[in-house]
């Protein structure tokens, strides 16, 4: 990575060394031009000229036009003549096409560079792509990367501060820092355009931070291999306190600037456990709480129809994730594509590819992988150090069920549960998953509105709704035992810490049987 300051230093040395051809790799003409203008200010004894397609050839110091003909050939002619007559001149060419391959233009530039070498001149070319090797060999190149977090911060802060007082701006330094994080990966001009559009809307409230990532999606265009999940509501998770506490400590790391330290961004979590207890919900809640965009990588879709396609699809998907970072990348049912059984060759290579990315990628992609079928999870994936943590999501305990019940009665039935009824419902929902509780409350809500009732049902009727449901934990007790046995040895409990007890299944509260590794 080369940031603006480093690029400037390198360029300064190239100019001092009178390198005949300097290629600046960048897609940001204006930023490059600013750096060059400031360097021209330092090297006052040497003249600098800049050519752009629209404005023609000008002196960099005062913007004076030096030739009536704005065309590139005219600029090359002018440069050729001047370099022959004068030493220590510098010419900057900003939008030259066909330099990436051998072409008449690239050969012209090679000639010009040779001439410059004989007369201590320097030809500077701005180019998005690498130039033809025959040309590149005549000089040196430097890459100006997109603005880093610090630079983006000052760009945004500059613009925001300019409009404080004129429009309602609620953003403080921390919000600006978050915005800078979200806009990483776009050019300075694009960032300014996005910000200006938001400010033009008349208010810059905190919730506008969410819109930033949508703008960014539009700028980046095609999202190959991953799908953007729009978050519509607030996703509240009941229980899972351990997981939630763990997550809250990582939030800041997704946007904080620690580029000067050896700290690496969080990688993500693997959530395994009992169906319907909030694994997928947690993926959405994390993105929503952290104000980050959520993308889903569909592992089933990665498995292409043709041999060899899966790998390129996975590569494409992971590259896209790196580009859209910072983000939450949700991989649902990760075991589907990486199953240890099945077509050995392909899944082996996919696992290797995935683990390599997990280890090597430095972008701020927080992965939330979920798995249902633990028996087919490849052991490589669950080894320590792959994910930051593996959490086991168990059935909600009584306190969690109370929280989930309250939550859904309030939001779906518009009814606040009185404590005594809550206690009875907690008992009635023994062994229920969050999804099962939600389904019953949904049904209550539905029936209530269908009956056109505005009052709540009486307690007995309410309890009846719950006793009509046989929870998965009862109908699939063996599956549950297997999942739990797995979780006990390989994962950290996502819920409140409470040691697993030996309560035989089918009896009262299943509880959270946890053994810390
Ligand atoms: N802990 C919880 N708090 C609140 N709601 C929950 C909780 N667990 C489940 N739900 C409700 O159940 C729905 C389904 O849960 P979710 O999709 O997260 O389950 P899952 O663990 O991913 O299950 P599966 O293994 O079947 O994919 C959620 O959208 C939510 O409405
Ligand atoms: Mg799920």
């Amino acid at each position: 990575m080369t940031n603006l300051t480093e690029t400037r230093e390198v360029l300064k040395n190239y100019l001092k060394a009178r390198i005949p051809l300097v290629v600046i790799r960048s897609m940001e003409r204006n930023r490059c031009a600013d750096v060059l203008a400031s360097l021209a200010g330092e090297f006052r004894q040497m003249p600098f000229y800049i050519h752009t397609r629209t404005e023609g050839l000008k002196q960099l110091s005062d913007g004076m036009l030096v030739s009536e003909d704005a065309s590139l050939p005219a600029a090359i002619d002018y440069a050729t003549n001047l370099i022959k007559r004068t030493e220590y001149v510098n010419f900057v060419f900003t939008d030259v096409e066909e330099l990436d391959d051998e072409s008449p233009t690239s050969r012209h530039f090679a000639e010009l560079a040779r001439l410059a070498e004989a007369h201590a001149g320097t030809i500077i070319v701005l180019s998005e792509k690498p130039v033809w090797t025959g040309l590149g060999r005549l000089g040196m190149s430097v890459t100006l990367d997109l603005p880093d977090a610090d630079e983006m911060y000052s760009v945004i802060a500059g613009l925001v501060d300019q409009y404080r007082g004129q429009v309602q701006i609620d953003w403080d330094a921390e919000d600006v820092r978050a915005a800078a994080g979200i806009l990483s990966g776009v050019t300075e001009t694009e960032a300014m355009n996005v910000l200006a559009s938001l400010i033009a809307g008349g208010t810059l409230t905190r919730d506008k931070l969410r819109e930033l990532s949508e703008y960014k999606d539009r700028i980046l265009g095609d999202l190959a291999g991953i799908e953007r999940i729009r978050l519509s509501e607030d996703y509240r998770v009941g229980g899972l306190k351990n997981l939630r506490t763990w997550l809250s400590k990582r939030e800041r790391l997704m946007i904080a600037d620690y580029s000067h330290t050896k700290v690496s961004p969080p990688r993500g979590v693997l959530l395994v456990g009992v169906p319907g207890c909030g694994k997928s919900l947690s993926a959405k809640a994390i993105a929503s709480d952290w104000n980050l965009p959520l993308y889903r990588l569909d592992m089933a879709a990665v498995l292409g129809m043709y041999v060899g396609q899966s790998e390129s699809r996975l590569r494409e998907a992971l590259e896209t994730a790196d580009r859209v970072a910072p983000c939450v990348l949700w991989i649902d049912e990760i075991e589907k594509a990486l199953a240890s059984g099945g077509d050995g060759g392909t899944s082996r290579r996919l696992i290797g590819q995935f683990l390599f990315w997990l280890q090597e990628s430095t972008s701020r992609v927080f992965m939330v992988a979920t798995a249902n079928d633990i028996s087919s999870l490849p052991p490589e994936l669950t080894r320590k150090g792959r994910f930051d943590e593996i959490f086991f999501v168990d059935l909600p305990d009584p306190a969690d069920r109370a929280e989930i019940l309250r939550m859904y009665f309030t939001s779906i039935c518009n009814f606040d549960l009185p404590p005594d009824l809550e206690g009875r419902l907690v008992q009635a929902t023994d062994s229920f998953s969050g999804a099962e509780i939600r389904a019953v409350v949904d049904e209550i809500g539905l029936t209530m509105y269908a009956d056109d009732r505005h009052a709540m049902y009486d307690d007995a009727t309410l309890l009846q709704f719950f006793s009509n449901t046989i929870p998965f934990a009862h109908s699939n007790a063996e599956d549950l035992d297997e999942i739990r046995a797995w979780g006990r040895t390989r994962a950290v409990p996502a819920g409140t810490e409470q040691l697993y007890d030996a309560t035989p299944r089918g009896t009262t509260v299943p509880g959270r049987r946890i053994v810390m590794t």
Side-chain angles (χ1 to χ4, degrees), residues 31-45:
R31 255 171 103 224
C32 292
D34 286 349
V35 177
L36 288 166
S38 102
L39 283 170
E42 259 186 68
F43 291 103
R44 266 175 216 290
Q45 70 281 23

Side-chain angles (χ1 to χ4, degrees), residues 167-183:
V167 290
Q168 183 203 334
I169 292 183
D170 298 346
W171 288 11
D172 60 15
E174 184 126 349
D175 299 315
V176 173
R177 179 67 62 197
I182 294 169
L183 287 177

